[in-house]
Every structure is written in C-alpha cells, then in structure tokens.
Amino acid sequence: MSALNGKTIVLGVCGGIAAFKAAALCSKLTQAGAKVHVIMTASATKFVAPLTFQTLSRHEVAIDTFDEKDASVVQHIDLADRADLVIVAPASANTIAKIALGLGDDMLSTTLLATTAPILVAPAMNVHMYANPAVEQNMRTLADRGIRFIEPGTGQLACGYVGKGRLAEPEDIVRAVELHFAERGRLTGKRVLITAGGTVERIDPVRYLTNDSSGKMGYALAEAAVRMGAEVTLISGKAAIPAPSGVKLVRVDSALDMLEAVMSRLPDQDVIIKAAAVADYRPAERHEHKLKKSDDELTLTLIKNPDILQQIGELKTHQFVVGFAAETRNIEAFAMDKLRRKRCDLLVANDVSAEGAGFGTDTNIVSVYDRSGFVEALPMMGKREVATHLLHLIADRLGKGETADT
Ligand code: PMT
C-alpha cells in the first residue's frame, strides 16, 4: 500500500507556466490514494482551468476566500486543519514572499497561515528571479521555520533562459512526499528531549560568561525530530535563531537552570540528546548589583558546574542517551572516554577546530561512536542534514530496542 493512502494533501498552485505540471502532480497523488484538495491563486487560473484540477482530484477547487460554499465551515480554516501536508507547486516568488512575511490576502496564503501541517514548497521561476537576493532571503526564512523545499531543476526555461528554475518533475515531488510520510512515522509516539545553545553564567546583572554556541545544531535536531513524528521538548540556552515550530520550548539561562529543566523531565522521555554547550564552571558569586570598577585587577573565582549528561547517565532507566563532544584533539580517545563515563548510547564528536565544524557554523563534521567504538564519520554537511542522519540512526537503534544497558 502506498505511503500516501488516505492522506489529505492540500496542493497550492501558483501562477506560472509550470502550473500545467501541477495537473500531473495532482493526478499522481490522487492515484497513490491521497485525498487532494487544490487551492489555486487567481493568476494560476490564467494558466490552467480549475476544472482540470477538479476533474483530477474529484474535489472542488478553492480560489476565492469569500466564496464560501459550505456555511458550516470556514473553508480556508477547514482545509488548513484537515491537511496532513500542504504542497505549494509551483511556488512563485510572490507566494514565497507572502509566506515569509505572513501575508494572507487570498485563499492560498490564508490557508498557509492557518495550517499547522508540514509544508513542502517546490519553486518555479525565471533563473534570475530564483537567484535574486530577496527571493533567496525569503527562502532562507522559510527554511529556518522548518518549511522544506524541493529544488527546481536546471534546463531550458519557458521564458527562454537556460538555468535553474524549472519546477521539479511531478515524479520527484511525489517521491519527496512519500519520503516525508515514511520519515514521519519513524519517531511517532516517542518523546525526545534535546538541549541546545550555550549556557549563560551570570557575574552580575549585566555581565556573564558564555560560549559561541548558536543553537543551530540542537535546533536542527529538534526540527528533524518533529518532522519524524516525535513529541519534542527543546531546552535551550542562549541561541541566535528562532525555535523550530512544533517543539515545546523551555528557555534556560545557566547550567543549573538546564540541570533542573532536564532532570525534572527525564522520567517521561524516550530519547535525550545533549547538543548544548554547557559551561563547566560558573562564578562562585553572582553579584546582586553591577560591579564597580576599582582596582587594576579583578579576580573571579569559578566553581564547577554539575555535569548534566553524567547525571542523566547515572539516573536513566529506559532512555536512549546521546551526548555530543566538542574536541580539538585526540577525538576518538576523548569521545570514547566521555561516552563511557557518562553512560551514553551514542556519542557525536565534532572537531570544533576544523573549518566548517562546531560552533556557529551552518555545517558540521561529526564522527559517531557507540559502546563498541567507532560507528561512522560523516563528511561536511549542513547541520540539518547531520541532524536528519543522526535521528535516523537513533530511530534504527530504538527499533532494535537498544540502550546502553542492553
Ligand atoms: O550550537 P552550534 O553553534 O550549532 O554548535 C554546536 C556545538 C558545537 C555546540 C555542538 O555540536 C556540540 O558539540 N555540543 C556539545 C558541546 C560541549 O559542551 O561539549 P563537551 O565535550 O564540553 O561536553 C560533552 C557532553 O557533556 C555534551 O553533550 C554536553 O552537553 C554535556 N555536558 C557538559 C558539561 C556539563 N556541565 N554538563 C553537560 O551535560
């Protein structure tokens, strides 16, 4: 049986010559067993008649927000609520900009605003439009919110140019949709707790000790875990990016706050992933008032913070525990030492001195270890790709019922 069987898919079609390919997409999704509801923008109707989509989907096509056919529901909210997935194909630069800005001025944009379902966007436009910095920035904004893209192909474009901007082929979009639903089931029913970002250790009300963690690695893990169907709690220290949608976000400041937030939730979790950069030491004293400048030298006394991962390792029962290690040398030896001491099931080591790895970057280079030793080394990848890969590895091991004590 197809992964799409019985799924409700809202297909948003924007104005552009590629709208004709959306008809083939609609047909393939319907044939695979999905219930497809098409929303067309007014410009899309200039390229393809709504009747084409109505015939292929066997559902009325929605175009005008105010053309309410069923008095018992508000149509754009009803479609938004019913969707298991929303696909925008072809997605025009205009609609991408509207999603980025949160505008709702037609049936498609209001539905996109109202839905909590995952959104897949397949852009199609002229090569220069696709490379325009405004479009690029809007796509980055969408990606940061967890919206996924199906990249356009390169080739002859209808406008006469040759380059990137051609709507992905309907078969490729269907494959991406199948993958989406297959991935979604992998962590369904699992509770995953992820820590991210850097802790902040206060000296006085305006000064603190912290580190360069941006939260990107932990947030990418949270986003991927949500996509795979998990119930995700993200415990975040200082981070430079917005939290992915669909997570339960708990903001913390210091290592002591993080310890409390993690340990109080430990018994309910199935998986713990500790990507946060936790300060090993904190100022012995936290001054109530701003310190005044006086002598030429100021000595700060630091005291050791509790090791949260180690405490998890000591108290865990059934939880699958994944630690991270930020190293600059002797990676394997230090990683294996941390894995054993902190009783992790997996340990992900990054050489934070390597270009494209570690703190603040969009990419990472990691090696993974388990209790038997080296598992794999991943080449440089985007943090989102690293996160997806790691969560599949975790899901594989959960499937086998593995924890450190088995
Ligand atoms: O946030 P980004 O900018 O994307 O950067 C990502 C990252 C480099 C922060 C991330 O990939 C990473 O390596 N996180 C762990 C950083 C770290 O604190 O490593 P460590 O080797 O010092 O600690 C080992 C493990 O023990 C970590 O899982 C850490 O969360 C945990 N720990 C450490 C100290 C402490 N007091 N309590 C802990 O729980």
Side-chain angles (χ1 to χ4, degrees):
M1 192 191 289
S2 158
L4 304 192
N5 202 41
K7 301 288 187 225
T8 298
I9 295 178
V10 169
L11 172 60
V13 182
C14 303
I17 185 60
F20 85 91
K21 279 192 183 173
L25 174 62
C26 177
S27 168
K28 285 181 189 304
L29 293 171
T30 310
Q31 282 172 32
K35 293 178 216 147
V36 182
H37 294 271
V38 176
I39 302 177
M40 296 178 82
T41 63
S43 342
T45 64
K46 308 271 187 214
F47 289 91
V48 181
L51 186 60
T52 304
F53 288 106
Q54 181 178 310
T55 310
L56 291 169
S57 68
R58 291 181 212 107
H59 288 108
E60 208 159 328
V61 173
I63 301 162
D64 181 355
T65 329
F66 301 103
D67 183 17
E68 295 282 9
K69 299 211 166 57
D70 178 355
S72 66
V73 293
V74 176
Q75 197 181 9
H76 65 281
I77 303 295
D78 184 49
L79 284 174
D81 287 349
R82 272 200 278 158
D84 293 309
L85 175 71
V86 180
I87 309 171
V88 188
S92 62
N94 183 48
T95 293
I96 288 171
K98 283 199 224 174
I99 312 175
L101 284 173
L103 295 181
D105 65 351
D106 64 6
M107 187 69 196
L108 179 57
S109 52
T110 48
T111 307
L112 285 163
L113 271 179
T115 195
T116 53
I119 300 172
L120 277 181
V121 170
M125 63 194 77
N126 163 271
V127 58
H128 296 312
M129 285 170 83
Y130 189 69
N132 186 297
V135 177
E136 280 184 347
Q137 184 171 346
N138 287 334
M139 290 196 292
R140 257 199 312 277
T141 302
L142 267 47
D144 284 344
R145 290 188 203 139
I147 290 178
R148 297 184 94 190
F149 283 85
I150 303 170
E151 286 226 353
T154 301
Q156 181 77 44
L157 304 177
C159 55
Y161 278 94
V162 175
K164 195 165 181 178
R166 208 162 64 177
L167 181 68
E169 293 309 317
E171 302 74 36
D172 295 335
I173 299 179
V174 172
R175 242 190 313 280
V177 174
E178 282 169 345
L179 207 67
H180 163 84
F181 284 114
E183 203 177 54
R184 191 142 189 88
R186 295 225 67 198
L187 289 173
T188 300
K190 299 291 178 202
R191 292 193 177 140
V192 177
L193 183 148
I194 296 165
T195 69
T199 61
V200 166
E201 310 297 333
R202 293 264 160 205
I203 299 167
D204 69 15
V206 296
R207 301 182 180 97
Y208 53 80
L209 302 176
T210 188
N211 56 64
D212 284 333
S213 173
S214 61
K216 286 178 189 169
M217 191 65 246
Y219 281 37
L221 286 159
E223 184 183 296
V226 167
R227 211 175 51 237
M228 289 165 71
E231 196 181 303
V232 180
T233 304
L234 174 61
I235 302 200
S236 176
K238 187 172 66 60
I241 50 171
S245 57
V247 303
K248 222 179 284 168
L249 177 68
V250 180
R251 287 207 181 278
V252 294
D253 225 27
S254 63
L256 289 179
D257 294 342
M258 188 173 277
L259 174 74
E260 203 282 321
V262 171
M263 298 317 280
S264 62
R265 290 168 176 83
L266 181 65
D268 298 334
Q269 305 302 318
D270 298 299
V271 179
I272 313 274
I273 309 177
K274 284 232 67 246
V278 184
D280 289 325
Y281 292 89
R282 67 180 183 278
E285 188 181 357
R286 180 178 169 164
H287 297 269
E288 193 185 340
H289 298 289
K290 185 178 169 219
L291 282 178
K292 287 286 172 207
K293 187 163 48 177
S294 54
D295 300 336
D296 286 346
E297 284 186 12
L298 172 72
T299 303
L300 273 181
T301 304
L302 302 180
I303 53 172
K304 209 168 190 176
N305 268 328
D307 192 310
I308 306 169
L309 185 55
Q310 190 148 353
Q311 290 201 19
I312 294 169
E314 280 159 17
L315 294 177
K316 70 177 181 167
T317 49
H318 62 287
Q319 295 85 354
F320 190 91
V321 177
V322 183
F324 267 72
E327 306 294 353
T328 54
R329 65 197 164 96
N330 296 342
I331 311 284
E332 176 151 4
F334 287 147
M336 285 307 294
D337 174 60
K338 279 180 186 163
L339 180 133
R340 292 201 174 105
R341 261 191 306 115
K342 305 189 186 197
R343 295 183 67 228
C344 298
D345 298 286
L346 283 180
L347 193 118
V348 182
N350 31 202
D351 177 352
V352 292
S353 64
E355 180 115 0
F359 292 89
T361 50
D362 287 331
T363 53
N364 208 353
I365 309 166
V366 303
S367 321
V368 184
Y369 301 85
D370 67 9
R371 290 220 298 168
S372 314
F374 176 76
V375 174
E376 62 178 343
L378 303 182
M380 191 195 296
M381 289 177 176
K383 280 181 176 165
R384 283 198 168 91
E385 286 172 273
V386 173
T388 302
H389 187 94
L390 291 175
L391 280 154
H392 276 293
L393 191 62
I394 294 166
D396 288 347
R397 294 192 173 216
L398 279 180
K400 292 183 197 147
E402 278 183 37
T403 74
D405 299 320
T406 57

